[in-house]
Every structure is written in C-alpha cells, then in structure tokens.
C-alpha cells in the first residue's frame, strides 16, 4: 500500500463513519457562542451609543440563564469599578488630611473679619525654619488678628496630638506597590502623585530595585517602561542587575539589560 | 452582514469576533466532524469526546476577540485547543475510566456503518464499513503520540511543522512520529485494498 492509498482509505472510511456529536452538545456550543457575541455587541453598542441589537429568538429559560450568567460574569468588574474610586478617595483623604486641617476656617464668631488682608493660604503648619526666614527678608507673613490666630494654633496642636500615624508618603506607596508587584497600583501612584520614579527608600533602594528583589517581573517591566533608571545601586552598592543575577531571574535580567543596565 | 459561503476560516472568525453569530455557526459546521473525530479516535470514549469537543468550542468562542489572524492558521489554533483539552481529559480519565479495547470501541460502529448504508450501493457500503472498522482497529493499536500525529495530519490537514507546534515537540520528533504511524498503519491495513 502506498502513502496516497493510506490517505485515500482514511478519507473513504471516515466518510462512512457515523460518529456525530449529539445535538445537545451542538446546541450548547452554539448557544454559548451566541451569548458571547451578544455580550460583545452590547459592549460595542454601549461604546458607540447605538441601539442594542434585537435579541434572537430563544426559549425563555435559556434567555434567563444566559442573562444570569452574564450578570454573574460582570460582577467582578463592577465590584472593581466601585472599589477603585472608593480606595482612591480614601487614600487622597489620608494624604491630604494635614493640608485640609490647616485650611479649616476659624469659627466666624471668633474671627474679626476686617483685619484679614491678603488671604494667602498656608498649606502646611509653619515649621520653625520658615519663621526665621520671614525675619530675614522673606515675604511678609499675612496679617492675622490674635483672635483668629489662637484657634488656628489650637487646631494645629490638636491635629498634631490626634494624628496617631503619619500617612505614607507617595514614594513609600510606590515602593510598596512595586515590591508587591501591583502593576496597576504602580501606574496609578505615578500618575496621581507625580512621584519621582527613582526615589530611594531609607536603604537607598528604588522602586525598581524592590521589584527586582521581590521577583516581580511585571512591575519591573512597567517601571523600566516608564523610565526608571536600571543602574541605581542601593546603600550596599548592589545594582538591580546584580540582584536579578543572584536570584537567577533570567527574564528580569534580560529586561534590565535591554533597558541599558550594566 | 452577509456571510459569504467561501469565506476563509480566519475571515469567519474575525466576523464572529465582531459579533456575527452566523459566522461562528458556519465555522463550527465546517470543522465540527473533523475535531470530533480527532477527539473520539484518540479518547475512544464518546462521552469524553463530547465533553472535550464542547470545551474546545467554548474556548474558541471565548478567545475570539484575542485571536490574531496574523499568527497561526485558524485550523492549527483550533486543533491546538482541541489537543490540549484532549490531553487534560486523558489525564483525568485514565485513573477513573476503564480503557475501552479496540474491539469494543469498533463493534457499535460496524452496526452503525452498515445500518446507515444506502440500499443502492450495498457493496460499497459494506466495503466502506469494513475499511472503517479495520482503520479504527489499526488506529487503536498505534502508540498514543503517533496516533495523535497521524490524526492531526488527516483531520486537520496540518503540516509536520504545525503538528510539532500543536503537540509541543520539535520538528524532528513530529516527523518521526508521523513516519512510524504511517508505516505501521500501512502494515496493518495491507489487506484492505
């Protein structure tokens, strides 16, 4: 028997093979394909503002099941859409808390209004050094009546007493996100707070170094893509490339090399 | 959107990714039997083959938006999914389901093939059913990997290179599996012609 005879025999025999998948299997496959197509179409329609396509005829039970599975499938995305803004708002409130407290207006009953001159805001409680600079020719401090200054001083004192934990600086958040490999969070922090991407922590480790140390390849690539310097050594003089090599992280090592690491 | 009958697989799949259900149906009908035969002749268990078929096409529908027509051919991609599903099923089924021997697997087919044959061509039908039984028996006697390579060539029309891609082996291995499979089948089916 030649090679072509074998192919011919296979084709001829298979044509007479009565094996077919059951109609239930076929129906389930086509139904699923239809659901996914409807879902795609809805997303397109929502994006373009078009009218949703009229649903194809199907049994009410199947339609109800399809709708239920669609809703279940959407829930994680919806939950994320709610959770992300809430978390961002909470974080912003924590970070801006001192600034907001210092901006609180003094109670009207205790302020003598006519004495207020230029309403230059003071974003942070005045540090001792700044007071001295005023005395040495810096712009004059704004005028405040003693009665207005008193409650403000009380507020400052209270805020310093009541604040149990200092909010994390944005660079610390960046370091934490990089170490955890949370790429989305790394991206958000860089966009929201304009943090210097190469800012070091107390041990001289940049976000990139922390991502490398924790084998977070996605975070490493994200940081490199956003211009992180791959040659900044930590306090011990170790570069990210050396750390990746010691940890046998070849893909991270390659990514660093491609970004110009030495 | 009007679906042209002669549209390529890739074109149909692109239309489905854009929301055209009829394109998927056409694509499914085009490949249904070939994928099913590939699964059934490897798994030799109808229920398992149907499960794997269903999961394969679910995955195809799910991945439609991510499919890149510039990469592999649709057929290669489809049979890669089917192959992996089949391997998964084999892995889980081996421990729990008794393996059907070739005789048991082919007996119902003999009856079915003879029964579906038209009365106008009794000789051709009988011959075809005889060949089918012989073919199924011969396939069952092949080592698993050789059978997979041969069926990928016959059912999907894949090249040796594509077979290597689907099976996750190198070119030479795929070529050798195919060569051994064909040689063994020729030997086993010597009397069929």
């Amino acid at each position: 028997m030649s090679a072509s005879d074998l192919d011919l025999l296979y084709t001829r025999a298979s044509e007479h093979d009565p094996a077919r998948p059951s109609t239930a299997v076929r129906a389930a496959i086509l139904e699923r394909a239809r659901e996914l197509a409807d879902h795609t179409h809805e997303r397109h329609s929502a994006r373009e503002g078009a009218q949703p396509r009229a649903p194809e005829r199907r049994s009410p039970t199947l339609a109800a099941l399809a709708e239920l599975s669609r809703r279940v499938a959407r829930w994680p995305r919806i939950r994320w859409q709610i959770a992300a803004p809430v978390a961002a708002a909470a974080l912003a409130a924590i970070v801006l808390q001192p600034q907001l407290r210092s901006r609180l207006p003094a109670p009207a009953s205790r302020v003598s209004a006519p004495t207020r001159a230029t309403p230059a805001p003071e974003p942070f409680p005045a540090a001792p050094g700044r007071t001295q600079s005023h005395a040495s020719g810096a712009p004059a401090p704004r005028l405040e009546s003693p009665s207005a200054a008193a409650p403000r001083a009380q507020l400052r004192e209270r805020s310093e007493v009541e604040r149990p934990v200092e909010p994390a600086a944005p660079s610390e958040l960046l370091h934490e996100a990089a170490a955890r490999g949370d790429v989305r969070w790394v991206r958000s922090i860089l966009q929201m707070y304009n943090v210097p991407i190469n800012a070091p922590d107390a041990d001289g480790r940049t976000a990139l170094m922390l991502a490398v140390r924790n084998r977070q390849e996605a975070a490493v690539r994200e940081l490199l893509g956003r211009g992180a310097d791959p040659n900044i050594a930590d306090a011990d003089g170790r570069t990210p490339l050396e750390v990746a090599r010691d940890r046998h992280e070849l893909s991270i090592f390659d990514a660093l090399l491609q970004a110009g690491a030495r | 959107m009007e679906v042209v009958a002669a549209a390529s697989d890739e074109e149909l799949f692109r239309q489905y990714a854009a929301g055209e259900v009829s394109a998927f149906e056409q694509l499914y009908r085009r490949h249904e039997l070939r994928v099913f035969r590939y699964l059934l002749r490897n798994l030799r268990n109808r229920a398992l083959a149907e499960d794997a078929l269903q999961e394969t096409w679910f995955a195809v529908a799910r991945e439609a938006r991510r499919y890149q027509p510039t990469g592999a051919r649709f057929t290669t991609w489809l049979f890669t999914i089917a192959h992996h599903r089949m391997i998964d099923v084999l892995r889980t089924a081996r421990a729990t389901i008794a393996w059907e021997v070739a005789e048991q697997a082919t007996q119902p087919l003999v009856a079915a093939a003879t029964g579906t044959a038209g009365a106008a061509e009794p000789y051709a039908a009988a011959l075809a059913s005889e060949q089918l039984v012989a073919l199924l028996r011969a396939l069952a006697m092949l080592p698993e990997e050789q059978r997979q390579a041969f069926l990928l060539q016959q059912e999907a029309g894949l090249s040796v290179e594509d077979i290597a891609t689907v099976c996750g082996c190198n070119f030479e291995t795929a070529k050798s599996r195919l060569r051994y499979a064909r040689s063994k089948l020729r030997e086993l089916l010597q009397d069929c012609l």
Side-chain angles (χ1 to χ4, degrees), chain B:
Chain B
M1 189 187 293
E2 188 67 27
V3 178
V4 183
S8 68
D9 291 343
E10 289 75 16
E11 174 60 18
L12 286 173
F13 202 46
R14 195 187 59 71
Q15 288 175 12
Y16 172 65
E20 188 61 46
V21 182
S22 62
F24 183 90
E25 289 174 358
Q26 199 174 340
L27 204 52
Y28 176 74
R29 288 205 181 87
R30 193 179 283 181
H31 295 284
E32 178 195 46
L33 280 185
R34 298 199 294 157
V35 177
F36 185 62
R37 279 199 299 257
Y38 176 70
L39 295 167
L40 184 63
R41 289 176 183 183
N42 274 303
L43 293 165
R44 284 176 288 171
N45 180 303
R46 187 184 174 84
L48 293 180
E50 286 193 337
D51 281 353
L53 180 79
Q54 191 164 302
E55 285 180 25
T56 300
W57 284 98
F58 282 177
V60 168
R62 212 168 38 237
E63 298 295 319
R65 278 181 292 124
R66 281 197 280 268
Y67 173 72
Q68 295 293 325
T70 50
R73 275 196 312 144
F74 174 79
T75 319
T76 311
W77 184 69
L78 170 65
F79 275 85
T80 305
I81 296 175
H83 180 78
H84 288 145
R85 291 287 176 277
M86 182 198 72
I87 298 289
D88 288 346
V89 169
L90 268 180
R91 240 178 239 146
T92 50
R94 261 194 191 121
T96 53
I97 296 177
W99 202 239
E100 293 180 49
V101 295
E103 287 294 330
Q104 290 169 333
T106 51
Q107 271 170 7
L109 292 175
V110 179
T114 315
T116 51
E121 294 177 328
Y123 175 73
L127 181 66
S129 65
E130 197 178 297
Q131 286 176 340
L132 175 61
V133 172
L135 175 71
L136 293 176
R137 278 181 184 153
L139 283 173
M141 291 168 79
L142 287 180
E144 206 168 274
E145 287 162 341
Q146 290 178 21
R147 182 171 57 241
Q148 288 164 10
F150 177 76
L151 287 174
L152 282 171
Q153 187 190 48
Q154 292 298 323
E155 294 296 350
L158 298 188
S159 64
V160 178
E161 199 173 4
D162 286 342
I163 292 170
T165 306
V166 172
C167 295
C169 60
N170 63 39
F171 181 86
E172 287 305 323
T173 307
K175 194 174 166 185
S176 141
R177 283 177 189 172
L178 200 53
R179 192 173 61 242
Y180 281 120
R182 294 184 70 89
S183 163
K184 177 100 176 167
L185 284 174
R186 272 199 297 272
E187 194 182 303
L188 291 168
L189 296 170
Q190 195 76 44
D191 302 330
C192 283
L193 284 178

Side-chain angles (χ1 to χ4, degrees), chain A:
Chain A
M1 184 193 289
S2 70
S4 59
D5 286 345
L6 178 63
D7 296 331
L8 196 65
L9 180 123
Y10 185 92
T11 309
R12 203 164 48 202
S14 293
E15 278 169 7
H16 288 80
D17 188 344
R20 301 277 185 280
S22 67
T23 49
V25 169
R26 187 179 298 169
I29 290 168
L30 295 177
E31 178 62 27
R32 175 68 67 90
R34 211 167 285 136
E35 282 170 20
L36 289 166
D38 284 349
H39 185 56
T40 308
H41 190 81
E42 277 172 20
R43 287 174 57 161
H44 277 285
S45 302
R47 205 177 299 146
E48 292 163 11
Q51 289 295 319
R53 183 170 57 171
E56 293 181 34
R57 292 187 66 184
R58 63 173 94 156
S59 74
T61 317
L62 283 175
L65 280 173
E67 181 60 26
L68 183 67
S69 67
R70 261 203 297 275
R71 288 187 179 188
V72 170
R74 276 183 202 163
W75 172 239
R77 282 200 297 278
I78 293 168
R79 195 170 50 183
W80 175 248
Q81 282 165 7
I82 295 167
V86 169
L91 184 73
I94 293 167
V95 171
L96 297 174
Q97 194 182 22
Q99 197 172 347
L100 289 170
R101 283 191 178 183
S102 68
R103 281 188 182 187
L104 278 176
S109 60
R110 297 171 69 181
V111 176
S112 56
T115 54
R116 290 178 73 89
T118 50
E122 188 180 358
F124 294 101
R130 288 180 69 185
T131 318
Q132 284 167 10
S133 74
H134 291 154
S136 60
R142 72 179 171 195
L143 297 172
E144 270 186 333
S145 70
S147 57
R152 188 176 292 276
Q154 286 171 4
L155 271 173
R156 282 178 200 155
E157 283 169 17
R158 202 183 303 155
S159 70
E160 281 165 11
V161 171
E162 287 174 356
R163 193 170 56 206
V165 182
E166 282 291 322
S171 61
E172 286 176 31
L173 295 175
L174 175 65
H175 291 145
E176 192 187 325
R180 226 176 37 235
D182 192 337
V183 176
R184 195 178 291 187
W185 199 207
V186 166
R187 206 175 295 147
S188 303
I189 292 166
L190 287 170
Q191 284 168 354
M192 282 165 63
Y193 300 114
N194 200 21
V195 186
I197 198 165
N198 295 318
D201 67 0
D203 297 321
R205 296 174 301 195
T206 61
L208 178 66
M209 175 63 98
L210 289 164
V212 172
R213 287 173 66 95
N214 288 283
R215 305 168 197 274
Q216 302 293 353
E217 186 184 344
V220 169
R221 289 186 186 279
E222 178 69 25
L223 287 163
L224 289 173
R226 289 176 174 272
D229 187 343
N231 291 311
I232 298 178
D234 62 11
D236 298 330
R238 302 185 72 210
T239 63
L241 197 65
E242 288 169 351
V243 174
R245 185 197 57 205
D246 293 349
R247 281 169 163 66
H248 306 290
E249 288 294 333
L250 288 181
S251 49
I252 293 179
F253 189 83
D254 285 345
L256 288 166
L257 278 180
Q258 280 170 15
R262 294 185 297 273

